[in-house]
Amino acid sequence: MHFPTTRHSAVVQAAPRQSPRSELTVLKQWLADQRHELMLMLAPAIHEAGHVFAARAHGFEVAWVSLDPDFLMNNPLAIENKCASGEPVAMVIAAPRIRPIHERGCVISRAEWDAVDAYVLECMAGPMAEASFNPHFQIEVAERDKLQANALLWRVAQPSKFKFRSKVKQILRKAYGFVEQNREEIFFLGVMIHNRRTILGSEIDSAIHEAKRLAVLERSGERMEIDIRLIPS
């Protein structure tokens, strides 16, 4: 992926005169540091973009996605779902497909297994997307996402620990493949989430459509300039 040009400035302190080779080394290190800092800044948005993109690709509605603490701590749906802490959230509406399976405690059709797979993939696509752009991110720390995924898988797989572990490995491979296949789309959707702070459900599909358009340009080798806001609006 070409690293997009961003409209912000940085101050480089004057340094003693160096050879062309050492100057190139310093420049490369500076660019690497800038890229690392930018990815850390975008990490929460890319994480939520992974959830959103996977949810819509697998037929789940998304009520909204937000990084805005004021929105999150006052939104009735966030309060109802006990996620009004102010931490970033993608509000995926999975209950209509998942609750009957969870309440019954077993899967009775191929369509229900597909729904279970899709739900767990959506849960894990967030941390996997973040890990894809931040090599220092440890997916093991994504406790909320893992708990949601494992709770459903254990419910339908118990009492067989072997079946549970096999299913976890199988879906993690699927989630990894999904994120890698849609890496550019998730990145551009993450930039939109970062810039806008909150995207409502009625705007989600158009944002995904724009992310796909930009990803096509990216893959074609088009050089692009995109805005990445350093200070939330």
Side-chain angles (χ1 to χ4, degrees), residues 1 35 39 42-54 121-139 142 145 172 174-190 193:
M1 171 184 290
R35 187 182 193 282
M39 286 306 170
L42 290 174
I46 289 174
H47 184 120
E48 300 311 320
H51 287 306
V52 170
F53 198 88
L121 188 153
E122 177 273 312
C123 288
M124 298 311 299
M128 284 190 171
E130 184 172 351
S132 179
F133 286 93
N134 177 12
H136 301 292
F137 177 74
Q138 299 297 314
I139 198 168
D145 297 320
L172 285 179
K174 287 183 180 179
Y176 176 81
F178 177 84
V179 168
E180 285 302 298
Q181 183 180 357
N182 298 285
R183 194 170 185 270
E184 288 84 4
E185 289 87 344
I186 290 171
F187 172 79
F188 288 118
L189 181 59
I193 293 170

Side-chain angles (χ1 to χ4, degrees), residues 48-137:
E48 300 311 320
H51 287 306
V52 170
F53 198 88
R56 293 303 295 132
H58 292 86
F60 293 112
E61 294 297 322
V62 179
W64 42 258
V65 57
S66 182
L67 310 179
D68 179 4
D70 290 337
F71 175 91
L72 290 161
M73 288 189 289
N74 293 284
N75 182 269
L77 201 53
I79 294 169
E80 178 185 342
N81 285 272
K82 299 179 181 179
C83 56
S85 65
E87 296 295 317
V89 174
M91 184 54 64
V92 176
I93 309 301
R97 290 169 64 186
I98 299 304
R99 182 178 289 130
I101 301 170
H102 190 276
E103 289 178 349
R104 191 188 319 118
C106 65
V107 174
I108 60 175
S109 68
R110 178 68 257 174
E112 287 196 344
W113 267 124
D114 289 345
V116 170
D117 286 2
Y119 176 77
V120 176
L121 188 153
E122 177 273 312
C123 288
M124 298 311 299
M128 284 190 171
E130 184 172 351
S132 179
F133 286 93
N134 177 12
H136 301 292
F137 177 74

Side-chain angles (χ1 to χ4, degrees), residues 11-16:
V11 177
V12 183
Q13 292 181 333

Side-chain angles (χ1 to χ4, degrees), residues 16-67:
R17 186 169 182 81
Q18 301 172 3
S19 68
R21 183 180 296 275
S22 63
E23 287 177 354
L24 180 60
T25 301
V26 170
L27 177 59
K28 286 181 177 179
Q29 183 59 52
W30 181 81
L31 290 172
D33 291 344
Q34 292 293 304
R35 187 182 193 282
H36 179 66
E37 289 181 16
L38 182 60
M39 286 306 170
L40 287 178
M41 181 179 69
L42 290 174
I46 289 174
H47 184 120
E48 300 311 320
H51 287 306
V52 170
F53 198 88
R56 293 303 295 132
H58 292 86
F60 293 112
E61 294 297 322
V62 179
W64 42 258
V65 57
S66 182
L67 310 179

